[in-house]
Amino acid sequence: MTSVNSLVNIAVFGIVGAIMMAALIGLLLVLSGSARGVTPPVRVAFGVASVVLLVALPSLAAANTLAGGGSFWTAFAVASCVVAVVYAVNVVLLPVIARRQAAATGGDVPAGLSPSLPVLALGLVFCVVLGLVGAGVAALVA
């Protein structure tokens, strides 16, 4: 039964994280198209919100898994998958962001918008590290 709970945790927290990340990116794009542009404090605020999102949601998913009777490694896997879902949203939104930024600055859209294999591999490492952080935080709190 723990495996079903894990899949539900991944789905719920992953979808919530994807929606929240897309909303943050959307707000940043709207602000970048305004007359004032995006000021450095606003960029810092969005960066902090992204980091909090990428640590809090996997931690909550891992804590929910641990509370459901799962092991630390199950919680780690759930947290890593939640981060991977949020990362996938960022990868999918990359071309939209590049086009919007090029339109706002009057520049050309870069030709190679799809990420390379090393970038995706580094993203996978990033997902595993944040999954470990999330599971560690959940283990400490629980």
Side-chain angles (χ1 to χ4, degrees):
M1 193 64 171
T2 304
S3 62
V4 173
N5 290 338
S6 298
L7 291 175
V8 170
N9 286 335
I10 291 169
V12 169
F13 288 101
I15 290 170
V16 167
I19 290 170
M20 291 177 74
M21 188 60 73
L24 278 174
I25 291 171
L27 284 173
L28 191 58
L29 287 174
V30 167
L31 289 176
S32 69
S34 68
R36 289 185 25 218
V38 180
T39 61
V42 172
R43 287 182 187 181
V44 168
F46 274 95
V48 167
S50 296
V51 169
V52 166
L53 179 74
L54 286 172
V55 172
L57 280 175
S59 298
L60 289 171
N64 201 11
T65 301
L66 289 173
S71 67
F72 174 81
W73 296 111
T74 305
F76 164 68
V78 167
S80 297
C81 289
V82 168
V83 176
V85 170
V86 176
Y87 177 70
V89 167
N90 284 328
V91 169
V92 168
L93 289 177
L94 177 68
V96 175
I97 295 166
R99 278 190 222 106
R100 173 68 185 218
Q101 197 65 21
T105 60
D108 293 332
V109 178
L113 287 178
S114 61
S116 64
L117 190 58
V119 170
L120 292 175
L122 187 62
L124 182 62
V125 171
F126 178 71
C127 293
V128 169
V129 168
L130 280 177
L132 189 60
V133 169
V137 167
L140 290 174
V141 172

mmCIF file of all heavy atoms in Angstrom, residues 19-46:
data_model
loop_
_atom_site.group_PDB
_atom_site.id
_atom_site.type_symbol
_atom_site.label_atom_id
_atom_site.label_comp_id
_atom_site.label_asym_id
_atom_site.label_seq_id
_atom_site.Cartn_x
_atom_site.Cartn_y
_atom_site.Cartn_z
ATOM 1 N N ILE A 19 2.424 23.638 -11.047
ATOM 2 C CA ILE A 19 1.528 24.782 -11.196
ATOM 3 C C ILE A 19 2.129 26.020 -10.539
ATOM 4 O O ILE A 19 2.105 27.117 -11.114
ATOM 5 C CB ILE A 19 0.138 24.457 -10.613
ATOM 6 C CG1 ILE A 19 -0.560 23.428 -11.489
ATOM 7 C CG2 ILE A 19 -0.715 25.713 -10.474
ATOM 8 C CD1 ILE A 19 -1.818 22.854 -10.883
ATOM 9 N N MET A 20 2.678 25.847 -9.350
ATOM 10 C CA MET A 20 3.264 27.003 -8.657
ATOM 11 C C MET A 20 4.486 27.534 -9.401
ATOM 12 O O MET A 20 4.679 28.745 -9.500
ATOM 13 C CB MET A 20 3.609 26.622 -7.218
ATOM 14 C CG MET A 20 2.381 26.386 -6.363
ATOM 15 S SD MET A 20 2.760 25.854 -4.704
ATOM 16 C CE MET A 20 3.341 27.374 -3.997
ATOM 17 N N MET A 21 5.323 26.645 -9.952
ATOM 18 C CA MET A 21 6.491 27.089 -10.699
ATOM 19 C C MET A 21 6.070 27.793 -11.979
ATOM 20 O O MET A 21 6.634 28.821 -12.347
ATOM 21 C CB MET A 21 7.411 25.909 -11.007
ATOM 22 C CG MET A 21 8.726 26.326 -11.612
ATOM 23 S SD MET A 21 9.721 27.423 -10.570
ATOM 24 C CE MET A 21 10.284 26.290 -9.324
ATOM 25 N N ALA A 22 5.066 27.249 -12.661
ATOM 26 C CA ALA A 22 4.565 27.903 -13.873
ATOM 27 C C ALA A 22 3.973 29.272 -13.550
ATOM 28 O O ALA A 22 4.154 30.229 -14.316
ATOM 29 C CB ALA A 22 3.527 27.018 -14.558
ATOM 30 N N ALA A 23 3.305 29.374 -12.406
ATOM 31 C CA ALA A 23 2.760 30.670 -12.002
ATOM 32 C C ALA A 23 3.876 31.668 -11.700
ATOM 33 O O ALA A 23 3.782 32.847 -12.082
ATOM 34 C CB ALA A 23 1.861 30.500 -10.782
ATOM 35 N N LEU A 24 4.924 31.218 -11.029
ATOM 36 C CA LEU A 24 6.062 32.111 -10.762
ATOM 37 C C LEU A 24 6.710 32.583 -12.061
ATOM 38 O O LEU A 24 7.023 33.765 -12.216
ATOM 39 C CB LEU A 24 7.105 31.401 -9.897
ATOM 40 C CG LEU A 24 6.860 31.367 -8.408
ATOM 41 C CD1 LEU A 24 7.910 30.498 -7.727
ATOM 42 C CD2 LEU A 24 6.868 32.751 -7.827
ATOM 43 N N ILE A 25 6.896 31.662 -12.991
ATOM 44 C CA ILE A 25 7.494 32.016 -14.270
ATOM 45 C C ILE A 25 6.580 32.973 -15.030
ATOM 46 O O ILE A 25 7.034 33.954 -15.620
ATOM 47 C CB ILE A 25 7.806 30.749 -15.099
ATOM 48 C CG1 ILE A 25 8.945 29.978 -14.441
ATOM 49 C CG2 ILE A 25 8.161 31.104 -16.535
ATOM 50 C CD1 ILE A 25 9.191 28.608 -15.031
ATOM 51 N N GLY A 26 5.289 32.719 -14.997
ATOM 52 C CA GLY A 26 4.327 33.603 -15.654
ATOM 53 C C GLY A 26 4.346 35.005 -15.069
ATOM 54 O O GLY A 26 4.327 35.996 -15.803
ATOM 55 N N LEU A 27 4.387 35.101 -13.749
ATOM 56 C CA LEU A 27 4.463 36.421 -13.111
ATOM 57 C C LEU A 27 5.745 37.150 -13.490
ATOM 58 O O LEU A 27 5.742 38.357 -13.749
ATOM 59 C CB LEU A 27 4.374 36.277 -11.590
ATOM 60 C CG LEU A 27 3.004 36.005 -11.015
ATOM 61 C CD1 LEU A 27 3.095 35.717 -9.525
ATOM 62 C CD2 LEU A 27 2.084 37.185 -11.264
ATOM 63 N N LEU A 28 6.835 36.415 -13.538
ATOM 64 C CA LEU A 28 8.103 37.028 -13.914
ATOM 65 C C LEU A 28 8.062 37.507 -15.362
ATOM 66 O O LEU A 28 8.581 38.581 -15.678
ATOM 67 C CB LEU A 28 9.249 36.042 -13.703
ATOM 68 C CG LEU A 28 10.660 36.600 -13.801
ATOM 69 C CD1 LEU A 28 10.869 37.716 -12.795
ATOM 70 C CD2 LEU A 28 11.681 35.506 -13.582
ATOM 71 N N LEU A 29 7.437 36.742 -16.245
ATOM 72 C CA LEU A 29 7.309 37.161 -17.640
ATOM 73 C C LEU A 29 6.417 38.387 -17.779
ATOM 74 O O LEU A 29 6.694 39.275 -18.576
ATOM 75 C CB LEU A 29 6.768 36.013 -18.493
ATOM 76 C CG LEU A 29 7.736 34.879 -18.770
ATOM 77 C CD1 LEU A 29 7.025 33.756 -19.503
ATOM 78 C CD2 LEU A 29 8.925 35.367 -19.549
ATOM 79 N N VAL A 30 5.345 38.440 -17.015
ATOM 80 C CA VAL A 30 4.468 39.609 -17.060
ATOM 81 C C VAL A 30 5.212 40.836 -16.567
ATOM 82 O O VAL A 30 5.144 41.911 -17.169
ATOM 83 C CB VAL A 30 3.190 39.361 -16.223
ATOM 84 C CG1 VAL A 30 2.425 40.640 -15.996
ATOM 85 C CG2 VAL A 30 2.310 38.331 -16.905
ATOM 86 N N LEU A 31 5.945 40.686 -15.481
ATOM 87 C CA LEU A 31 6.705 41.822 -14.964
ATOM 88 C C LEU A 31 7.817 42.254 -15.907
ATOM 89 O O LEU A 31 8.127 43.434 -16.005
ATOM 90 C CB LEU A 31 7.293 41.484 -13.592
ATOM 91 C CG LEU A 31 6.282 41.395 -12.445
ATOM 92 C CD1 LEU A 31 6.983 40.959 -11.172
ATOM 93 C CD2 LEU A 31 5.587 42.718 -12.243
ATOM 94 N N SER A 32 8.416 41.302 -16.615
ATOM 95 C CA SER A 32 9.494 41.666 -17.536
ATOM 96 C C SER A 32 8.958 42.422 -18.742
ATOM 97 O O SER A 32 9.687 43.176 -19.365
ATOM 98 C CB SER A 32 10.265 40.427 -17.996
ATOM 99 O OG SER A 32 9.457 39.623 -18.825
ATOM 100 N N GLY A 33 7.691 42.246 -19.065
ATOM 101 C CA GLY A 33 7.101 42.972 -20.183
ATOM 102 C C GLY A 33 6.541 44.326 -19.792
ATOM 103 O O GLY A 33 6.098 45.075 -20.657
ATOM 104 N N SER A 34 6.568 44.662 -18.521
ATOM 105 C CA SER A 34 6.036 45.956 -18.097
ATOM 106 C C SER A 34 7.019 47.068 -18.441
ATOM 107 O O SER A 34 8.158 46.829 -18.830
ATOM 108 C CB SER A 34 5.749 45.947 -16.592
ATOM 109 O OG SER A 34 6.953 45.861 -15.867
ATOM 110 N N ALA A 35 6.580 48.291 -18.286
ATOM 111 C CA ALA A 35 7.399 49.445 -18.655
ATOM 112 C C ALA A 35 8.653 49.540 -17.789
ATOM 113 O O ALA A 35 9.713 49.935 -18.269
ATOM 114 C CB ALA A 35 6.566 50.718 -18.538
ATOM 115 N N ARG A 36 8.544 49.207 -16.527
ATOM 116 C CA ARG A 36 9.697 49.313 -15.618
ATOM 117 C C ARG A 36 10.664 48.158 -15.771
ATOM 118 O O ARG A 36 11.821 48.256 -15.391
ATOM 119 C CB ARG A 36 9.216 49.367 -14.168
ATOM 120 C CG ARG A 36 8.554 50.642 -13.809
ATOM 121 C CD ARG A 36 8.176 50.757 -12.349
ATOM 122 N NE ARG A 36 8.979 49.946 -11.471
ATOM 123 C CZ ARG A 36 8.513 49.306 -10.420
ATOM 124 N NH1 ARG A 36 7.237 49.357 -10.150
ATOM 125 N NH2 ARG A 36 9.304 48.613 -9.647
ATOM 126 N N GLY A 37 10.189 47.022 -16.260
ATOM 127 C CA GLY A 37 11.042 45.845 -16.335
ATOM 128 C C GLY A 37 11.136 45.177 -14.976
ATOM 129 O O GLY A 37 10.386 45.469 -14.058
ATOM 130 N N VAL A 38 12.067 44.264 -14.854
ATOM 131 C CA VAL A 38 12.245 43.530 -13.600
ATOM 132 C C VAL A 38 13.463 44.100 -12.885
ATOM 133 O O VAL A 38 14.579 44.081 -13.408
ATOM 134 C CB VAL A 38 12.428 42.026 -13.868
ATOM 135 C CG1 VAL A 38 12.616 41.281 -12.566
ATOM 136 C CG2 VAL A 38 11.237 41.471 -14.614
ATOM 137 N N THR A 39 13.241 44.599 -11.697
ATOM 138 C CA THR A 39 14.334 45.156 -10.912
ATOM 139 C C THR A 39 15.084 44.032 -10.197
ATOM 140 O O THR A 39 14.540 42.941 -10.002
ATOM 141 C CB THR A 39 13.788 46.153 -9.873
ATOM 142 O OG1 THR A 39 12.900 45.457 -9.001
ATOM 143 C CG2 THR A 39 13.047 47.300 -10.555
ATOM 144 N N PRO A 40 16.332 44.270 -9.810
ATOM 145 C CA PRO A 40 17.081 43.226 -9.106
ATOM 146 C C PRO A 40 16.412 42.700 -7.841
ATOM 147 O O PRO A 40 16.429 41.488 -7.605
ATOM 148 C CB PRO A 40 18.416 43.904 -8.806
ATOM 149 C CG PRO A 40 18.573 44.898 -9.913
ATOM 150 C CD PRO A 40 17.182 45.398 -10.187
ATOM 151 N N PRO A 41 15.790 43.542 -6.998
ATOM 152 C CA PRO A 41 15.115 42.961 -5.829
ATOM 153 C C PRO A 41 13.975 42.011 -6.201
ATOM 154 O O PRO A 41 13.744 41.019 -5.518
ATOM 155 C CB PRO A 41 14.571 44.183 -5.080
ATOM 156 C CG PRO A 41 15.417 45.313 -5.516
ATOM 157 C CD PRO A 41 15.809 45.014 -6.918
ATOM 158 N N VAL A 42 13.283 42.303 -7.295
ATOM 159 C CA VAL A 42 12.203 41.417 -7.733
ATOM 160 C C VAL A 42 12.789 40.090 -8.204
ATOM 161 O O VAL A 42 12.249 39.024 -7.908
ATOM 162 C CB VAL A 42 11.370 42.089 -8.846
ATOM 163 C CG1 VAL A 42 10.378 41.118 -9.451
ATOM 164 C CG2 VAL A 42 10.647 43.305 -8.299
ATOM 165 N N ARG A 43 13.902 40.133 -8.906
ATOM 166 C CA ARG A 43 14.551 38.897 -9.351
ATOM 167 C C ARG A 43 14.998 38.060 -8.160
ATOM 168 O O ARG A 43 14.851 36.841 -8.164
ATOM 169 C CB ARG A 43 15.756 39.214 -10.234
ATOM 170 C CG ARG A 43 15.381 39.714 -11.581
ATOM 171 C CD ARG A 43 16.586 39.953 -12.428
ATOM 172 N NE ARG A 43 16.177 40.598 -13.660
ATOM 173 C CZ ARG A 43 16.988 40.928 -14.613
ATOM 174 N NH1 ARG A 43 18.279 40.696 -14.500
ATOM 175 N NH2 ARG A 43 16.541 41.510 -15.706
ATOM 176 N N VAL A 44 15.534 38.717 -7.151
ATOM 177 C CA VAL A 44 15.964 38.006 -5.950
ATOM 178 C C VAL A 44 14.754 37.379 -5.261
ATOM 179 O O VAL A 44 14.807 36.227 -4.816
ATOM 180 C CB VAL A 44 16.733 38.947 -4.995
ATOM 181 C CG1 VAL A 44 16.933 38.323 -3.638
ATOM 182 C CG2 VAL A 44 18.057 39.347 -5.611
ATOM 183 N N ALA A 45 13.655 38.116 -5.191
ATOM 184 C CA ALA A 45 12.447 37.586 -4.551
ATOM 185 C C ALA A 45 11.929 36.359 -5.300
ATOM 186 O O ALA A 45 11.538 35.363 -4.680
ATOM 187 C CB ALA A 45 11.370 38.662 -4.491
ATOM 188 N N PHE A 46 11.947 36.404 -6.623
ATOM 189 C CA PHE A 46 11.505 35.252 -7.395
ATOM 190 C C PHE A 46 12.470 34.080 -7.234
ATOM 191 O O PHE A 46 12.057 32.928 -7.188
ATOM 192 C CB PHE A 46 11.360 35.613 -8.873
ATOM 193 C CG PHE A 46 10.018 36.203 -9.199
ATOM 194 C CD1 PHE A 46 9.837 37.567 -9.220
ATOM 195 C CD2 PHE A 46 8.940 35.387 -9.473
ATOM 196 C CE1 PHE A 46 8.604 38.117 -9.513
ATOM 197 C CE2 PHE A 46 7.702 35.917 -9.768
ATOM 198 C CZ PHE A 46 7.527 37.291 -9.790
#
